Amino acid sequence: MTVMNYRKAIAEGIGRALRSDQRVVFLGEDVGAAGGAFKSTVGLYEEFGPDRVWDTPISEQAIVGAAMGAAMTGLRPIAEIMFTDFLGVCWDMVANQVAKARYMSGGQLEVPLVIRAHGGAGLGFGAQHSQTWENLLMSIPGIKVAAPSTPRDVIGLLAAAVADPDPVILLEHKALFDAKEDVPDEPFLEPLGSASIRRTGDDLTLVALSAMVPVAVQAAATLEAEHGISAEVIDLRSVTPTDTATLLQSVERTSRLMTVEENPRPCGWGAEIASIVAEEGFTFLDAPIQRVTSANVPVPFAANLEHATIPNADTVVKAVLSYS
Amino acid sequence: MNAAVSTDELTDWLRMMTLIRGFEERVKNLFSQGLVRGTTHLATGQEAVAVGASAALQPDDWVLGTYRGHHHALARGMSPASAFAEILGRSTGVCRGKGGSMHLTDVSHGVMGSYAIVGAHLPIAVGCAWSSKIQDLGRVAVCFFGDGTTTIGAFHEAVNLAAVWKLPAIFVCENNRYSEYTPIDQVSPVAHAAADRAAGYGIPGVVIDGNDVAAIRDAVDVAADRARRGAGPTIVEAETYRHGGHSRADPATYRPEQEVEHWLQRDPVAAVRRQLEATAEPGRAEQVETEASDQLDRALEEALAAPEPDLSTLTDDVYARAL
Ligand SMILES: Cc1ncc(C[n+]2csc(CCOP(=O)(O)OP(=O)(O)O)c2C)c(N)n1
Ligand SMILES: [Mg+2]
């Protein structure tokens, strides 16, 4: 085991993939010589050189398009989009091309690529550099979508994504870069479509993703210590596929469900979770499902406005206390 | 250097260049004190492009710029106090604290937005130019962008559309030789990443000294003239340099020392100052600098005294009327 932070785990995960599979190539803007805009890919260019780690122009369409072509013809590209928001620039590639190739070709084409992007709010980056788009991506059939909340999952989910025959989008969160954790030195993977229970509890189930996982865990600790409420925290980890079994088993015991989401409310990923549990676990529930989400606004710049926009442990505790 | 530059013009230019330089220095300090959140991209070293282009424009012309856009906004007349306040996330900010450093916008001065997705504003600028043509407004739309932006599809679509529709647009590339950390020659196969592309779209492309205010003014003047005549767009590529890193605390160690030194010797603010000193009475330059510095101190004081936005404004301006 080695203690590692989330930022370092990104380079570690990519490095492990490059080391263990010659078909893996890594491309993106400033990912090589500069070590990444967030210094999350430091050392890869030095270790693997320009034939495996490719610095691209500012050309998101070409990055994802080229990764798709390479994936269709025998490589396993990992493409970095610097900020999740820039997926907007190559939305055609993601939503119309990558996601649909297998289906439209009747299974002839295969696109085993990984797209990684850094997303999320809380750091004052403004409305075009702070979004979480798991929910948008989740509504496109043909791609898998995961969002690690810990260093271990950064590495494990990436390993699963690289091994997967389908296109996988991994959304890393900028606010988690300094989170530390022990990670195994030997190869391992965390399967896509498997949620992780971060804290066990009996009175209510909190489902969270990415940076909302530590928020939910912190809220659960306060609820236990100050209010005698025992909350279970489920880290969904991947939204596609969704681990409905873990969810339903938890709600069967707790009878209450609250989602904690960073996206704005309309069509957030939690709406899908709520609908699944309402359909398949209705009889488990003792109360209506609740959702805590960001305000329905573009992420504002000013500190107080931004903090008022995103859920924090306090807002989750308050929501739980007013939830009967 | 154009002979037809008057002492009054030089005075105005030095005033604005000093104002921009001092503004950016203060932003840098505020950032290192932790008073500016997120990120900032300073235009230190690139002042001449904004000042020269503005000198060629009419008050009702439009400009669109990028996250590295404080200089464009100030050169067009945005009040330094409301720019500081925006960057500090205060209620008196020009965007009421909603935008921040990367999104300075001041419609009253024709600053139609600062855009943080590379390339996005080129098609939008083309739309402004199109609108001017349809409504017969006689206005031009100037789009400022970086060398690295020539590698994104939006650049090519925008230039092509403006050319084929003969729109009154001017594409001003501030070629500071780098994207974030990547030298332009590693990502562009042609020597002049913007201007060399003009031929492919059948429009003029000119390369000028981007640290020479008069050269920029003259090039934009010619381009504006062509645009207003209905002859179509021009690409103006201004060769310049950012004195500091790309953003935040980037120490810019990827740049060769001699290159940095070469460009520091060609500082555009010092150049205008020398020109003014050669023609104006002694003391004029110092006076201009003192006035600009005092103006900035007052503006910053005002901005720092302003409150954060009221939380009740959080949901304002998502729609014209709350849903
Ligand atoms: C679509 C998109 N891709 C990547 C980025 C990240 N990014 C911000 S600035 C920048 C470099 C732009 O270089 P250039 O056009 O030369 O402008 P400069 O910063 O030098 O003014 C990059 C890659 C972005 N903002 N938008
Ligand atoms: Mg540049």
Side-chain angles (χ1 to χ4, degrees):
Chain A
M1 291 279 190
T2 306
V3 181
M4 196 176 285
N5 69 20
Y6 190 99
R7 186 195 307 271
K8 179 80 190 25
I10 294 172
E12 176 69 20
I14 300 166
R16 289 186 186 195
L18 285 162
R19 228 167 278 135
S20 64
D21 187 340
Q22 285 303 310
R23 296 171 304 169
V24 175
V25 288
F26 176 45
L27 76 167
E29 294 162 17
D30 283 314
V31 298
F38 298 102
K39 300 286 171 247
S40 60
T41 57
V42 168
L44 296 173
Y45 184 80
E46 289 71 18
E47 179 175 351
F48 299 100
D51 292 339
R52 308 285 305 284
V53 176
W54 294 72
D55 274 321
T56 68
I58 311 169
S59 306
E60 282 77 9
Q61 291 200 69
I63 292 170
V64 178
M68 174 171 169
M72 284 159 42
T73 52
L75 296 181
R76 296 253 159 177
I78 301 174
E80 172 169 311
I81 298 296
M82 194 185 292
F83 283 77
T84 297
D85 315 65
F86 308 164
L87 285 170
V89 176
C90 51
W91 197 246
D92 170 59
M93 286 297 165
V94 172
N96 291 327
Q97 314 304 339
V98 166
K100 295 176 175 45
R102 179 188 294 277
Y103 189 78
M104 292 192 308
S105 69
Q108 299 174 76
L109 292 173
E110 190 161 272
V111 190
L113 65 74
V114 179
I115 301 172
R116 302 172 31 256
H118 306 100
L123 303 171
F125 277 94
Q128 296 181 339
H129 284 72
S130 298
Q131 296 170 89
T132 46
W133 275 355
E134 290 88 357
N135 55 334
L136 300 195
L137 294 161
M138 182 187 194
S139 67
I140 301 166
I143 47 181
K144 297 180 179 173
V145 185
S149 73
T150 72
R152 190 191 157 100
D153 281 0
V154 165
I155 297 173
L157 290 170
L158 181 66
V162 171
D164 203 276
D166 284 312
V168 180
I169 302 191
L170 294 177
L171 300 173
E172 294 148 4
H173 202 294
K174 305 192 283 290
L176 295 173
F177 280 147
D178 295 327
K180 284 201 183 70
E181 190 180 28
D182 260 340
V183 302
D185 296 321
E186 60 282 359
F188 72 100
L189 60 76
E190 295 292 339
L192 297 163
S194 141
S196 171
I197 297 174
R198 298 292 178 194
R199 182 185 173 105
T200 53
D202 304 320
D203 299 334
L204 131 115
T205 301
L206 295 173
V207 190
L209 188 68
S210 189
M212 290 298 111
V213 172
V215 165
V217 168
Q218 198 193 331
T222 306
L223 287 166
E224 180 98 73
E226 295 175 18
H227 306 282
I229 296 172
S230 155
E232 179 144 304
V233 178
I234 296 182
D235 178 351
L236 202 55
R237 301 204 290 185
S238 66
V239 293
T240 310
T242 314
D243 183 356
T244 41
T246 299
L247 266 175
L248 290 167
Q249 279 156 21
S250 176
V251 177
E252 186 169 14
R253 283 191 298 101
T254 64
S255 306
R256 282 180 158 75
L257 175 67
M258 181 180 287
T259 63
V260 186
E261 307 163 52
E262 188 172 321
N263 46 239
R265 191 174 189 82
C267 303
W269 58 261
E272 180 60 24
I273 297 301
S275 128
I276 291 169
V277 173
E279 282 177 16
E280 297 178 36
F282 187 71
T283 56
F284 303 154
L285 291 167
D286 284 349
I289 299 164
Q290 301 281 314
R291 296 175 57 212
V292 175
T293 67
S294 278
N296 193 23
V297 299
V299 177
F301 171 73
N304 65 332
L305 296 182
E306 185 173 23
H307 292 141
T309 297
I310 325 158
N312 56 39
D314 267 1
T315 49
V316 175
V317 168
K318 284 203 188 89
V320 170
L321 295 179
S322 63
Y323 175 22
S324 48
Chain B
M1 163 75 211
N2 191 311
V5 181
S6 70
T7 305
D8 280 352
E9 278 174 300
L10 285 170
T11 306
D12 286 348
W13 293 353
L14 182 65
R15 187 185 307 284
M16 186 51 77
M17 307 255 306
T18 312
L19 190 90
I20 295 169
R21 177 72 49 101
F23 185 90
E24 297 292 58
E25 274 163 10
R26 284 165 178 77
V27 171
K28 193 174 173 195
N29 289 339
L30 292 168
F31 191 84
S32 45
Q33 290 165 44
L35 288 169
V36 177
R37 308 182 66 228
T39 184
T40 54
H41 307 76
L42 305 181
T44 309
Q46 302 182 198
E47 297 88 351
V49 185
V51 173
S54 289
L57 297 179
Q58 298 300 317
D60 62 354
D61 287 333
W62 294 308
V63 305
L64 293 84
T66 71
Y67 51 86
R68 192 183 316 286
H70 305 166
H71 55 329
H72 308 131
L74 292 169
R76 289 293 286 168
M78 179 185 291
S79 106
S82 65
F84 276 135
E86 186 59 35
I87 292 167
L88 289 162
R90 304 302 166 94
S91 60
T92 55
V94 67
C95 307
R96 302 175 187 191
K98 299 279 181 58
S101 166
M102 295 200 282
H103 299 295
L104 296 183
T105 303
D106 182 358
V107 172
S108 72
H109 287 98
V111 182
M112 305 304 282
S114 300
Y115 298 79
I117 306 291
V118 165
H121 64 309
L122 283 94
I124 301 168
V126 168
C128 295
W130 182 43
S131 162
S132 174
K133 180 179 171 123
I134 290 176
Q135 300 180 75
D136 202 13
L137 299 177
R139 298 184 188 178
V140 302
V142 177
C143 185
F144 297 100
F145 58 98
D147 46 290
T149 303
T150 58
T151 67
I152 202 158
F155 165 80
H156 298 271
E157 295 188 26
V159 174
N160 184 71
L161 189 63
V164 80
W165 286 358
K166 292 203 180 332
L167 300 179
I170 306 175
F171 299 100
V172 179
C173 176
E174 285 175 67
N175 183 347
N176 61 13
R177 301 177 160 243
Y178 290 85
S179 300
E180 292 199 352
Y181 318 115
T182 305
I184 184 64
D185 56 13
Q186 275 179 28
V187 289
S188 171
V190 293
H192 303 290
D196 285 357
R197 263 59 183 250
Y201 299 108
I203 61 170
V206 294
V207 180
I208 48 159
D209 178 353
N211 285 3
D212 178 347
V213 181
I216 298 149
R217 183 202 55 185
D218 292 349
V220 173
D221 207 39
V222 170
D225 202 50
R226 177 179 146 85
R228 289 190 224 278
R229 279 199 326 269
T234 302
I235 295 177
V236 176
E237 181 167 337
E239 299 191 301
T240 182
Y241 205 69
R242 56 167 151 80
H243 285 181
H246 167 70
S247 66
R248 292 177 273 168
D250 169 24
T253 47
Y254 44 86
R255 305 192 302 188
E257 252 171 60
Q258 310 91 293
E259 181 187 285
V260 177
E261 200 39 50
H262 168 79
W263 283 93
L264 289 178
Q265 295 301 321
R266 307 188 53 235
D267 178 23
V269 180
V272 170
R273 191 181 204 279
R274 277 195 302 274
Q275 287 160 24
L276 182 63
E277 278 181 326
T279 60
E281 74 283 0
R284 168 90 69 113
E286 286 79 6
Q287 187 198 338
V288 164
E289 286 162 351
T290 309
E291 283 167 9
S293 168
D294 289 349
Q295 186 190 352
L296 286 169
D297 287 341
R298 282 195 306 275
L300 182 53
E301 207 174 309
E302 194 183 311
L304 283 167
E308 290 190 303
D310 196 280
L311 283 182
S312 67
T313 65
L314 177 64
T315 53
D316 290 354
D317 295 318
V318 181
Y319 299 98
R321 246 169 263 120
L323 301 182

PDB file of all heavy atoms in Angstrom, chain B residues 27-41:
ATOM      1  N   VAL B  27      -4.083  43.144  -9.728  1.00  0.00           N
ATOM      2  CA  VAL B  27      -4.817  41.864  -9.728  1.00  0.00           C
ATOM      3  C   VAL B  27      -3.879  40.740  -9.282  1.00  0.00           C
ATOM      4  O   VAL B  27      -4.243  39.861  -8.492  1.00  0.00           O
ATOM      5  CB  VAL B  27      -5.413  41.549 -11.117  1.00  0.00           C
ATOM      6  CG1 VAL B  27      -5.962  40.128 -11.162  1.00  0.00           C
ATOM      7  CG2 VAL B  27      -6.512  42.549 -11.457  1.00  0.00           C
ATOM      8  N   LYS B  28      -2.660  40.793  -9.778  1.00  0.00           N
ATOM      9  CA  LYS B  28      -1.686  39.763  -9.407  1.00  0.00           C
ATOM     10  C   LYS B  28      -1.460  39.763  -7.884  1.00  0.00           C
ATOM     11  O   LYS B  28      -1.458  38.712  -7.250  1.00  0.00           O
ATOM     12  CB  LYS B  28      -0.372  40.049 -10.138  1.00  0.00           C
ATOM     13  CG  LYS B  28       0.606  38.916 -10.100  1.00  0.00           C
ATOM     14  CD  LYS B  28       1.808  39.223 -10.972  1.00  0.00           C
ATOM     15  CE  LYS B  28       2.854  38.131 -10.757  1.00  0.00           C
ATOM     16  NZ  LYS B  28       4.156  38.507 -11.265  1.00  0.00           N
ATOM     17  N   ASN B  29      -1.316  40.953  -7.336  1.00  0.00           N
ATOM     18  CA  ASN B  29      -1.138  41.053  -5.879  1.00  0.00           C
ATOM     19  C   ASN B  29      -2.361  40.537  -5.135  1.00  0.00           C
ATOM     20  O   ASN B  29      -2.237  39.808  -4.154  1.00  0.00           O
ATOM     21  CB  ASN B  29      -0.878  42.502  -5.459  1.00  0.00           C
ATOM     22  CG  ASN B  29       0.505  42.948  -5.889  1.00  0.00           C
ATOM     23  OD1 ASN B  29       1.369  42.112  -6.136  1.00  0.00           O
ATOM     24  ND2 ASN B  29       0.704  44.242  -6.013  1.00  0.00           N
ATOM     25  N   LEU B  30      -3.526  40.944  -5.605  1.00  0.00           N
ATOM     26  CA  LEU B  30      -4.757  40.501  -4.937  1.00  0.00           C
ATOM     27  C   LEU B  30      -4.840  38.985  -4.982  1.00  0.00           C
ATOM     28  O   LEU B  30      -5.239  38.335  -4.013  1.00  0.00           O
ATOM     29  CB  LEU B  30      -5.983  41.103  -5.632  1.00  0.00           C
ATOM     30  CG  LEU B  30      -6.143  42.623  -5.500  1.00  0.00           C
ATOM     31  CD1 LEU B  30      -7.211  43.127  -6.463  1.00  0.00           C
ATOM     32  CD2 LEU B  30      -6.493  43.007  -4.066  1.00  0.00           C
ATOM     33  N   PHE B  31      -4.441  38.425  -6.113  1.00  0.00           N
ATOM     34  CA  PHE B  31      -4.502  36.969  -6.246  1.00  0.00           C
ATOM     35  C   PHE B  31      -3.546  36.308  -5.255  1.00  0.00           C
ATOM     36  O   PHE B  31      -3.918  35.365  -4.558  1.00  0.00           O
ATOM     37  CB  PHE B  31      -4.170  36.537  -7.676  1.00  0.00           C
ATOM     38  CG  PHE B  31      -4.479  35.092  -7.922  1.00  0.00           C
ATOM     39  CD1 PHE B  31      -5.759  34.701  -8.263  1.00  0.00           C
ATOM     40  CD2 PHE B  31      -3.506  34.116  -7.765  1.00  0.00           C
ATOM     41  CE1 PHE B  31      -6.065  33.364  -8.464  1.00  0.00           C
ATOM     42  CE2 PHE B  31      -3.803  32.779  -7.953  1.00  0.00           C
ATOM     43  CZ  PHE B  31      -5.088  32.404  -8.310  1.00  0.00           C
ATOM     44  N   SER B  32      -2.338  36.840  -5.160  1.00  0.00           N
ATOM     45  CA  SER B  32      -1.388  36.186  -4.253  1.00  0.00           C
ATOM     46  C   SER B  32      -1.772  36.405  -2.790  1.00  0.00           C
ATOM     47  O   SER B  32      -1.368  35.644  -1.923  1.00  0.00           O
ATOM     48  CB  SER B  32       0.057  36.601  -4.542  1.00  0.00           C
ATOM     49  OG  SER B  32       0.136  37.973  -4.715  1.00  0.00           O
ATOM     50  N   GLN B  33      -2.585  37.427  -2.535  1.00  0.00           N
ATOM     51  CA  GLN B  33      -3.097  37.591  -1.165  1.00  0.00           C
ATOM     52  C   GLN B  33      -4.322  36.723  -0.908  1.00  0.00           C
ATOM     53  O   GLN B  33      -4.903  36.789   0.175  1.00  0.00           O
ATOM     54  CB  GLN B  33      -3.515  39.044  -0.926  1.00  0.00           C
ATOM     55  CG  GLN B  33      -2.369  40.038  -0.849  1.00  0.00           C
ATOM     56  CD  GLN B  33      -2.896  41.467  -0.972  1.00  0.00           C
ATOM     57  OE1 GLN B  33      -3.897  41.828  -0.362  1.00  0.00           O
ATOM     58  NE2 GLN B  33      -2.243  42.256  -1.801  1.00  0.00           N
ATOM     59  N   GLY B  34      -4.736  35.968  -1.897  1.00  0.00           N
ATOM     60  CA  GLY B  34      -5.896  35.094  -1.711  1.00  0.00           C
ATOM     61  C   GLY B  34      -7.224  35.816  -1.831  1.00  0.00           C
ATOM     62  O   GLY B  34      -8.257  35.298  -1.429  1.00  0.00           O
ATOM     63  N   LEU B  35      -7.208  37.028  -2.398  1.00  0.00           N
ATOM     64  CA  LEU B  35      -8.461  37.785  -2.488  1.00  0.00           C
ATOM     65  C   LEU B  35      -9.211  37.525  -3.801  1.00  0.00           C
ATOM     66  O   LEU B  35     -10.367  37.894  -3.944  1.00  0.00           O
ATOM     67  CB  LEU B  35      -8.182  39.282  -2.353  1.00  0.00           C
ATOM     68  CG  LEU B  35      -7.792  39.718  -0.936  1.00  0.00           C
ATOM     69  CD1 LEU B  35      -7.269  41.147  -0.929  1.00  0.00           C
ATOM     70  CD2 LEU B  35      -8.988  39.585   0.006  1.00  0.00           C
ATOM     71  N   VAL B  36      -8.510  36.907  -4.764  1.00  0.00           N
ATOM     72  CA  VAL B  36      -9.165  36.562  -6.026  1.00  0.00           C
ATOM     73  C   VAL B  36      -9.288  35.049  -6.085  1.00  0.00           C
ATOM     74  O   VAL B  36      -8.306  34.334  -5.895  1.00  0.00           O
ATOM     75  CB  VAL B  36      -8.359  37.073  -7.237  1.00  0.00           C
ATOM     76  CG1 VAL B  36      -9.008  36.651  -8.536  1.00  0.00           C
ATOM     77  CG2 VAL B  36      -8.225  38.585  -7.181  1.00  0.00           C
ATOM     78  N   ARG B  37     -10.463  34.575  -6.330  1.00  0.00           N
ATOM     79  CA  ARG B  37     -10.694  33.133  -6.350  1.00  0.00           C
ATOM     80  C   ARG B  37     -10.403  32.556  -7.720  1.00  0.00           C
ATOM     81  O   ARG B  37     -10.399  33.253  -8.719  1.00  0.00           O
ATOM     82  CB  ARG B  37     -12.153  32.814  -6.004  1.00  0.00           C
ATOM     83  CG  ARG B  37     -12.610  33.474  -4.743  1.00  0.00           C
ATOM     84  CD  ARG B  37     -14.037  33.086  -4.425  1.00  0.00           C
ATOM     85  NE  ARG B  37     -14.142  31.670  -4.121  1.00  0.00           N
ATOM     86  CZ  ARG B  37     -15.043  30.875  -4.641  1.00  0.00           C
ATOM     87  NH1 ARG B  37     -15.897  31.314  -5.528  1.00  0.00           N
ATOM     88  NH2 ARG B  37     -15.080  29.614  -4.296  1.00  0.00           N
ATOM     89  N   GLY B  38     -10.220  31.244  -7.749  1.00  0.00           N
ATOM     90  CA  GLY B  38     -10.139  30.545  -9.024  1.00  0.00           C
ATOM     91  C   GLY B  38      -8.851  30.839  -9.757  1.00  0.00           C
ATOM     92  O   GLY B  38      -7.788  30.417  -9.355  1.00  0.00           O
ATOM     93  N   THR B  39      -8.952  31.594 -10.827  1.00  0.00           N
ATOM     94  CA  THR B  39      -7.794  31.796 -11.680  1.00  0.00           C
ATOM     95  C   THR B  39      -7.847  33.180 -12.312  1.00  0.00           C
ATOM     96  O   THR B  39      -8.894  33.823 -12.322  1.00  0.00           O
ATOM     97  CB  THR B  39      -7.747  30.686 -12.750  1.00  0.00           C
ATOM     98  OG1 THR B  39      -6.562  30.835 -13.525  1.00  0.00           O
ATOM     99  CG2 THR B  39      -8.965  30.724 -13.650  1.00  0.00           C
ATOM    100  N   THR B  40      -6.707  33.654 -12.782  1.00  0.00           N
ATOM    101  CA  THR B  40      -6.677  34.905 -13.538  1.00  0.00           C
ATOM    102  C   THR B  40      -5.658  34.748 -14.650  1.00  0.00           C
ATOM    103  O   THR B  40      -4.680  34.021 -14.505  1.00  0.00           O
ATOM    104  CB  THR B  40      -6.202  36.107 -12.706  1.00  0.00           C
ATOM    105  OG1 THR B  40      -4.944  35.786 -12.126  1.00  0.00           O
ATOM    106  CG2 THR B  40      -7.191  36.479 -11.632  1.00  0.00           C
ATOM    107  N   HIS B  41      -5.891  35.431 -15.740  1.00  0.00           N
ATOM    108  CA  HIS B  41      -4.973  35.398 -16.879  1.00  0.00           C
ATOM    109  C   HIS B  41      -4.628  36.840 -17.204  1.00  0.00           C
ATOM    110  O   HIS B  41      -5.495  37.592 -17.663  1.00  0.00           O
ATOM    111  CB  HIS B  41      -5.641  34.737 -18.081  1.00  0.00           C
ATOM    112  CG  HIS B  41      -6.222  33.386 -17.777  1.00  0.00           C
ATOM    113  ND1 HIS B  41      -7.388  33.236 -17.082  1.00  0.00           N
ATOM    114  CD2 HIS B  41      -5.787  32.140 -18.072  1.00  0.00           C
ATOM    115  CE1 HIS B  41      -7.656  31.932 -16.973  1.00  0.00           C
ATOM    116  NE2 HIS B  41      -6.701  31.248 -17.556  1.00  0.00           N
TER     117      HIS B  41
END
